């Protein structure tokens, strides 16, 4: 039963993510008047920026710990 509930919860999160992504794509297309190829590129670049910001934050934290020691 727990495995089924976990799968069900995973499905819910996946659907929420997909819905969020679709909304972001539609907003980019509408606001920036992009073709779908441009929307895909913009979403990829935004995801890369998010990942780089997270990595940068992690590295800043590591550096801060090194400088304190």
């Amino acid at each position: 039963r727990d495995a089924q509930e976990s799968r069900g919860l995973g499905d819910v999160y996946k659907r929420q993510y997909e819905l969020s992504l679709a909304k972001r794509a539609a907003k980019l297309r509408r606001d920036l008047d992009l073709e779908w190829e441009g929307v895909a590129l913009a979403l990829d670049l935004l995801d890369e920026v998010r990942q780089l910001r997270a990595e940068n934050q992690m590295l800043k934290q590591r550096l801060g710990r090194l400088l304190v020691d």
Side-chain angles (χ1 to χ4, degrees):
R1 179 179 172 148
D2 290 334
Q4 285 179 333
E5 287 176 6
S6 292
R7 277 194 302 270
L9 190 56
D11 289 343
V12 168
Y13 288 136
K14 182 179 177 185
R15 281 190 219 115
Q16 287 176 338
Y17 172 77
E18 289 170 348
L19 180 58
S20 172
L21 188 61
K23 286 180 180 179
R24 288 176 69 199
K27 183 172 177 17
L28 281 169
R29 182 156 195 229
R30 180 184 64 245
D31 293 352
L32 300 178
D33 195 29
L34 296 174
E35 297 294 329
W36 286 114
E37 294 83 4
V39 170
L41 176 61
L43 287 171
D44 286 346
L45 291 172
L46 288 168
D47 187 50
E48 186 173 344
V49 167
R50 182 192 57 76
Q51 289 174 11
L52 290 170
R53 286 181 176 162
E55 182 180 354
N56 189 27
Q57 183 63 32
M58 180 200 59
L59 291 171
K60 283 181 180 179
Q61 289 173 353
R62 282 178 154 178
L63 181 60
R65 285 193 297 267
L66 288 173
L67 294 176
V68 171
D69 291 340

